[in-house]
């Protein structure tokens, strides 16, 4: 969703925007009921290949794509020809279509599919069933489905829910449990966890331990802790950062934690289409500070081609504390579905 994510969504004590929460609550009931009805009425299709779903319970910002990339890498390492499948949010093409980073742009297929395609075969399809079948026909031994926990079209061999593990500064990944638009939830927590097979708690690099209270929210579900780590150091010298993701403030924190000499930071809405005027403004700010521009890998893919040489892409990766156990979970799901 393309929006400025409200910080008060993540305030579970309801100290901020109480009137806004109350006014939006009826719309939340409608949203939750529509989601539940759609899932209950679905008849999931087996596409002929094991499907591993990597989704979340909140509107953006949990780190699904880095986890999906790591799942693809671990499957490939174990000899499984895994293909990524995404809806292609933000792109104009409907698919099914295999993504080619050399030929397609974010305007064609979306930014996240381009990221996934850097590591191996990736597809976009508005029709997830058609996309999974196309991947299977192209030789996929498994499909890693990005952002589809609330999409019941495909039969899933494994449903992973990714949760933002950062709970500092009064933030809570589920806020007060409110469903969109009065809170960050796509559906009630209990409903979403009931369809999950395991939870991945994604921790920032500078927080050593997951919050025990958060871990207790998942009951008997297996929980895997992963860390969002820089795949490369930030640029040396002063930098001006910017990001158009659901929680841009986390990019600012991550740059600080990685030791970047951050002189300024500009947040944009999720999946923002950067205008030339925006980028010229940022370049002027950077020029005054004798700094370089830096952004996330995801945002870099949405930059106009003429700006990519002027902006540093700062990639991150998900690294599991128990990588072997997580890989074994993936392989069990693939083998049991065959």
């Amino acid at each position: 969703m393309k929006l400025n994510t409200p910080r008060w969504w993540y305030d579970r004590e309801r100290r901020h925007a109480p009137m806004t929460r109350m006014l939006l609550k009826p719309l939340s009931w409608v949203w939750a009921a529509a989601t539940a009805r759609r899932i209950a009425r679905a008849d999931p299709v087996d596409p002929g290949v094991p499907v591993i779903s990597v989704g979340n319970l909140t509107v953006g910002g949990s780190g699904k794509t880095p986890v999906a990339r790591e799942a693809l890498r671990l499957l490939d390492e174990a000899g499984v020809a895994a293909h990524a499948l995404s809806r292609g949010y933000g792109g104009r093409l409907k698919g099914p279509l295999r993504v080619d980073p050399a030929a397609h742009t974010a305007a064609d297929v979306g930014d996240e599919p381009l990221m996934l395609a850097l590591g191996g075969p990736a597809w976009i399809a508005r029709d997830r069933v058609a996309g999974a079948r196309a991947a299977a026909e192209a030789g996929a031994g498994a499909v890693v489905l990005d952002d589809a926990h609330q999409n019941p079209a495909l039969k899933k061999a494994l449903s992973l829910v990714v949760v933002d593990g950062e709970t500092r500064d009064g933030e809570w990944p589920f806020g007060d449990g409110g469903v969109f638009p009065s809170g960050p939830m796509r559906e009630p927590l209990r409903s979403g966890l009931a369809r999950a097979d395991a939870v991945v708690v994604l921790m920032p690099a500078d927080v050593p331990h997951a919050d025990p209270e958060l871990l207790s929210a998942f009951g008997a579900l297996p929980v895997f802790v992963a860390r969002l780590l820089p795949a490369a150091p930030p640029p040396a010298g002063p930098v001006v950062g910017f990001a158009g993701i659901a929680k841009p403030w986390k990019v600012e924190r991550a740059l600080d934690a990685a030791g970047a000499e951050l002189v300024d930071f500009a947040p944009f809405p999720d999946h923002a289409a950067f205008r030339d005027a925006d980028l010229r403004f940022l370049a002027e700010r950077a020029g005054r500070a004798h700094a370089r521009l830096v952004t996330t890998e995801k945002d870099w893919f949405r930059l106009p081609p003429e700006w990519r040489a002027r902006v540093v892409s700062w990639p991150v990766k998900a690294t599991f504390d128990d990588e072997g156990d997580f890989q074994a979970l993936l392989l069990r799901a693939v083998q049991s579905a065959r």
Side-chain angles (χ1 to χ4, degrees), residues 229-300:
L229 302 176
V239 297
V240 170
F242 65 97
I245 62 173
K247 298 177 183 177
W249 61 88
K250 289 184 175 291
V251 178
E252 183 176 10
R253 286 178 182 169
L255 283 166
D256 274 330
E261 188 182 337
L262 191 61
V263 297
D264 206 350
F265 186 86
F268 287 84
D270 195 15
H271 292 282
F274 299 111
R275 301 173 303 170
D276 193 63
D278 297 326
L279 297 168
R280 287 200 309 270
F281 175 71
L282 289 170
E284 289 171 4
R285 292 167 75 174
R288 287 195 294 270
H290 304 288
R292 302 177 72 184
L293 288 173
V294 61
T295 193
T296 69
E297 183 181 22
K298 177 178 172 179
D299 289 302
W300 188 86

Side-chain angles (χ1 to χ4, degrees), residues 65-66 69 110-119 297-299 301:
T65 302
R69 290 174 80 171
D111 46 28
E112 290 161 349
L114 286 171
M115 293 171 61
L116 293 169
L118 293 178
E297 183 181 22
K298 177 178 172 179
D299 289 302
F301 275 115

Side-chain angles (χ1 to χ4, degrees), residues 178-330:
V179 174
F180 179 86
S182 73
M185 304 297 292
R186 298 186 183 200
E187 59 179 317
L189 178 62
R190 183 176 297 180
S191 300
L193 291 178
R195 300 192 315 281
D197 297 304
V199 175
V200 176
V201 176
L202 194 58
M203 301 295 298
D206 60 335
V207 178
H209 304 292
D211 188 329
E213 185 182 358
L214 176 62
L215 297 180
S216 70
F218 309 126
L221 283 172
V223 178
F224 296 87
V225 175
R227 303 187 183 277
L228 200 59
L229 302 176
V239 297
V240 170
F242 65 97
I245 62 173
K247 298 177 183 177
W249 61 88
K250 289 184 175 291
V251 178
E252 183 176 10
R253 286 178 182 169
L255 283 166
D256 274 330
E261 188 182 337
L262 191 61
V263 297
D264 206 350
F265 186 86
F268 287 84
D270 195 15
H271 292 282
F274 299 111
R275 301 173 303 170
D276 193 63
D278 297 326
L279 297 168
R280 287 200 309 270
F281 175 71
L282 289 170
E284 289 171 4
R285 292 167 75 174
R288 287 195 294 270
H290 304 288
R292 302 177 72 184
L293 288 173
V294 61
T295 193
T296 69
E297 183 181 22
K298 177 178 172 179
D299 289 302
W300 188 86
F301 275 115
R302 294 199 310 281
L303 292 174
E306 61 271 20
W307 278 93
R308 291 180 183 174
R310 302 175 62 179
V311 179
V312 177
S313 169
W314 190 52
V316 293
K317 62 181 180 179
T319 301
F320 281 81
D321 287 1
D322 298 309
E323 181 181 287
D325 290 343
F326 183 67
Q327 185 181 47
L329 175 74
L330 298 173

Side-chain angles (χ1 to χ4, degrees), residues 36-62:
R37 184 167 55 250
R38 175 167 46 81
I39 292 170
R41 292 179 176 178
D43 184 16
V45 173
D46 183 349
V49 63
V51 174
I52 295 171
S53 170
V54 180
N56 70 357
L57 303 178
T58 57
V59 179
S62 67

